[in-house]
Amino acid sequence: MKSAYFLIIITLLCSLNLVAQRNIQTINSAWEFSSEKNEKTEIVNIPHTWNAEDAFRDGKEYFRGKGTYKKSLFVPQEWQQKRAFLKFEGSNQITTVYVNDKKIGEHRGGYTGFVFDISEALNYGEANQLRIVVNNAHNTDIPPLDADFNFYGGIYRDLQLILTNQIHFELENEATGNMLIKTPEVSAEKAQITFETEIVNHSKVSKDLQVSVDIFNPEKRKIETLSKKVQLPPVETKSVNFSKIITDPDLWSPDSPKLYEAVAKISEENSEEILDEIDSKFGLRWFEVSTEKGFVLNGKPIKLIGANRHQDFEGLGNALPNSIHRSDYKTIKEMGANVIRTAHYPQDPEVYNICDELGLLVWTEVPVINDVTDTDAYHDVSLKMQREQILQFYNHPSVVMWGLMNEIFIRLVFNNQMTEEEKEAKIKTTVALAEKLEKETKCLDPDRLSVMALHENELYNESGIADIPDVIGWNLYFGWYSPGLEIFGEFLDEQHKRYPNRPLFISEYGPGADSRIQTDEPKPWDYSEAYQLKLHRSYINQVQERDYVFGMTAWNFADFGSSFRQDSRPYINQKGLVNMDRSKKDIYHYYQARLLEEPFIYIAGKNYLKRYPQDKSDVIEITVFSNAEEVKLKVDNAEYTSQVIDGIAIFELSLPEGNHELIATDGTVSHSRQIKVKFRKNLVAEIDQNAILVNVGTHVNFIDETTGETWVSDQEYKEGGFGYGGGNVYQKNSSKFQGTASDIQGTENDPLFQTMREGIVAYKFDVEKGKYRITLLFAEPEYNASEENIYNLSEVEKKKITNLRSFDIEINGKTLSRDLNLARDYGRLQAVEISYEIKTDAGIEIEFDENSGKALLSGIKLEKL
């Protein structure tokens, strides 16, 4: 009985402590939402954005304006003895809070947390009306002004209601109540730690308090309790700080992410009741960077290799649950990465917890990107963003770099409307802001690195802005926006020669890649997975060869929303290592082969399962990723061996038609895949069984995700087969093999219509007698193409008209379409499909007779009826 009585007492005390401490609950569910665009109310749950769909439908015209969230909140009478706060983790971008129609406050900036004390506005013992107005309209005084990502509107991270005692740790500050844990000196022998807190007395009487901090080691064992007595007058805030030296610390690193924990408590003197309690994990590590040693963590050099990451997801915009954040960073860690850049803004608080736990070093930055406004308001908001970022994420050992700006001169460089005087003024205010951000950063945190990302332009050196932060990152796209993969290394060497003491980081690199586009002959801007592999392989090699480059982060971990982009999937930046739905591209597995230490093997080509060689003499290339020295590939009953170079083993095989089982192994691990081989030379003869689909005017195959059909790459006509006659591959830019980058309306298969053969004379199929359906695919790629009718004009008038494209289509000598003007008849950049049914005694020849301009063709499908 005595032990049972003791258990009841302990349980009662624990219950009292629980009641006395702060109460934290999310209030995410069932908000009434309306907007300027649609006043009709709908019920939504937070996290929420109103741009999850229209940013991918309306492009640049997606709604940016005000959205309003409303909720009725019953407030019990006993809350009158408490303090009530609303804590936002992120809301984009001006957030104004009203309680019972009383304005509580406003926060500017969309990517950091903030807290409002709503206690004085509450009516106790009755329902209260919460109204939150969020505005993501363009505002010249709030960064970001312009960027290659969507500015989703809404309360897109968790919203908490927090109840505290009248005496509590301060919440309503730029740190959102975070206890700062500083580690100014760390070594293998000892670590000096300071804990900085602020406590508030909202009661009407002075209080004698005891403030303590319990320290727990990574095994969750309490190793120390630090305590102070504090007298706190009414309505006053006071700082309470502690110091501690830990000997033989357990060090945090990507390979061993060990975390300590601190729990701070407030109680009245000589009382067991806990008035308030907060906690924070922290890690002990030290680092330095130089051009000689690179990045050194805990005394050991480490090459930083990872990726950038945007925070949106297919179908959700930026309103992600924590489970997706966790899954993303787990996937990044499983890739073998040891670093991440949170582009281009602070991310969800849970992200930094995850990086701490997984062992991912972090470059986190504020969204001062592309352009700067020369106003005090813009500068002030930028500085506030940096303070909020640093103070809210200070304790995370994963964070090693605070970012100041990204490509801040890119709009200035490409703005031909600005005068030289205006450009000089823009440079001056930008450099001034960079200096302010650097000063603010070092004032708050002198121990971490400040960093700035630059694009390929000499202005950063000429203006002196590149000399302001501790290190700089270069966003470099040689082989994509600029020609020449090899120029990447040449550029780095030239920079290092000129600035030998400047540590360099490659903060962005990578080409767009569409998992529907496959080829064995990769070319710049063809959006093939093969070219993505070619570029990343080259960049990794060139960085590994240069010790003065201390790291690199690929652009980007995942494809992400960007409303002004057209590319091969409109409104999406496709440079991701994975797709927007997080399905993996081949390149993700290549990084595993380059970065993982445990045995790894993977047969590339998940999206390239159907191969179309000319015949058996035409080799099929199989690519295997591995970190072994050599791998074996079993194909059906035959076995082949290949050396691994740069994580890649290449097998060139001659295979018969049919299905083939591939099994790759390094003797420890294995991977298998099935492919199907179909000879091009037999496609015409087997037209009864399968249609022939040709991706005209390009060297890549295109896989239709809806039908599963493969549109094979184009070929020149040879007797007995099929192919084009005459013309040239259409390219708007001679170094970019995409044709047109424009969004093609009326189709989801943009790449089929973005490439084409221009000046084409004919397309032939040497088929046998029968009835056939021929479907021709077109798109007018020129914005300024004339809509004139060629046959209504005299010869004199014809000569005066420019950009007029008109041609006739003949099939086996019979004109079936006359004066086809795509711009006039269907519209520019519009997907056009025209089908014809014909009978032939032998062979099909489609001829394109030009009336004006050049005939063109994007695709052709031939079916036997």
Side-chain angles (χ1 to χ4, degrees), residues 506-740:
I506 310 306
S507 37
E508 293 182 25
Y509 63 96
D514 188 326
S515 52
R516 300 172 296 177
I517 298 176
Q518 304 295 331
T519 184
D520 293 324
E521 302 174 8
K523 299 178 181 180
W525 218 266
D526 64 11
Y527 277 83
S528 68
E529 287 197 80
Y531 186 73
Q532 187 178 37
L533 172 61
K534 181 177 180 177
L535 187 146
H536 279 267
R537 178 184 188 179
S538 175
Y539 271 54
I540 293 172
N541 288 345
Q542 293 183 72
V543 167
Q544 294 284 30
E545 293 166 357
R546 292 165 169 84
D547 291 339
Y548 63 83
V549 181
F550 70 91
M552 61 195 306
T553 45
W555 189 261
N556 192 277
F557 162 63
D559 291 355
F560 59 92
S562 182
S563 63
F564 75 87
R565 280 198 169 264
Q566 301 186 15
D567 297 348
S568 73
R569 292 189 192 266
Y571 314 132
I572 296 175
N573 186 313
Q574 296 171 258
K575 297 185 181 70
L577 309 179
V578 304
N579 291 301
M580 201 171 182
D581 65 359
R582 284 12 180 207
S583 58
K584 298 179 178 71
K585 302 179 187 179
D586 273 350
I587 192 64
Y588 173 87
H589 300 290
Y590 177 63
Y591 272 86
Q592 290 183 301
R594 293 299 297 261
L595 301 179
L596 294 178
E597 293 185 1
E598 62 269 21
F600 176 82
I601 198 163
Y602 180 85
I603 303 172
K606 179 179 71 173
N607 303 303
Y608 197 15
L609 302 180
K610 295 179 182 178
R611 305 297 182 97
Y612 291 88
Q614 285 293 340
D615 51 38
K616 191 173 182 179
S617 66
D618 192 5
V619 298
I620 294 172
E621 191 172 280
I622 302 297
T623 301
V624 178
F625 302 151
S626 177
N627 52 11
E629 292 184 1
E630 73 171 25
V631 297
K632 296 183 184 299
L633 181 68
K634 185 177 180 181
V635 184
D636 304 326
N637 295 317
E639 188 172 87
Y640 308 87
T641 301
S642 177
Q643 297 297 307
V644 178
I645 301 173
D646 301 334
I648 296 176
I650 300 292
F651 296 86
E652 294 184 340
L653 309 173
S654 296
L655 298 176
E657 283 193 313
N659 296 319
H660 300 278
E661 178 79 18
L662 311 179
I663 303 174
T665 182
D666 66 353
T668 305
V669 292
S670 62
H671 185 251
S672 63
R673 189 178 301 291
Q674 274 198 343
I675 64 170
K676 184 175 184 177
V677 175
K678 192 72 178 172
F679 292 158
R680 285 175 176 246
K681 74 170 188 177
N682 295 335
L683 293 179
V684 168
E686 297 173 2
I687 188 70
D688 288 29
Q689 302 168 38
N690 296 291
I692 301 174
L693 300 87
V694 186
N695 192 9
V696 177
T698 182
H699 61 287
V700 302
N701 298 331
F702 175 82
I703 296 92
D704 187 319
E705 290 176 329
T706 302
T707 66
E709 296 173 312
T710 298
W711 294 74
V712 299
S713 58
D714 205 3
Q715 64 183 39
E716 189 172 9
Y717 170 75
K718 291 182 180 179
E719 188 174 350
F722 67 93
Y724 65 82
N728 295 288
V729 171
Y730 174 84
Q731 287 178 244
K732 282 224 172 188
N733 185 308
S734 60
S735 64
K736 298 178 180 179
F737 291 84
Q738 189 187 13
T740 176

Side-chain angles (χ1 to χ4, degrees), residues 55-124:
F56 301 90
R57 183 185 63 241
D58 303 333
K60 290 182 287 187
E61 305 305 316
Y62 73 96
F63 171 61
R64 294 186 63 185
K66 289 182 180 179
T68 300
Y69 300 82
K70 294 180 180 179
K71 175 185 278 291
S72 179
L73 179 69
F74 180 78
V75 176
Q77 190 66 46
E78 55 264 31
W79 283 18
Q80 198 159 4
Q81 304 306 313
K82 304 284 185 181
R83 301 298 294 186
F85 301 87
L86 288 181
K87 182 177 181 179
F88 295 76
E89 292 183 345
S91 179
N92 199 30
Q93 69 179 347
I94 300 177
T95 305
T96 310
V97 174
Y98 301 85
V99 177
N100 299 320
D101 289 328
K102 178 182 178 182
K103 182 178 177 180
I104 301 300
E106 177 183 281
H107 181 266
R108 295 185 160 226
Y111 303 96
T112 46
F114 53 97
V115 177
F116 289 125
D117 186 341
I118 63 173
S119 309
E120 304 300 332
L122 294 175
N123 297 324
Y124 297 93

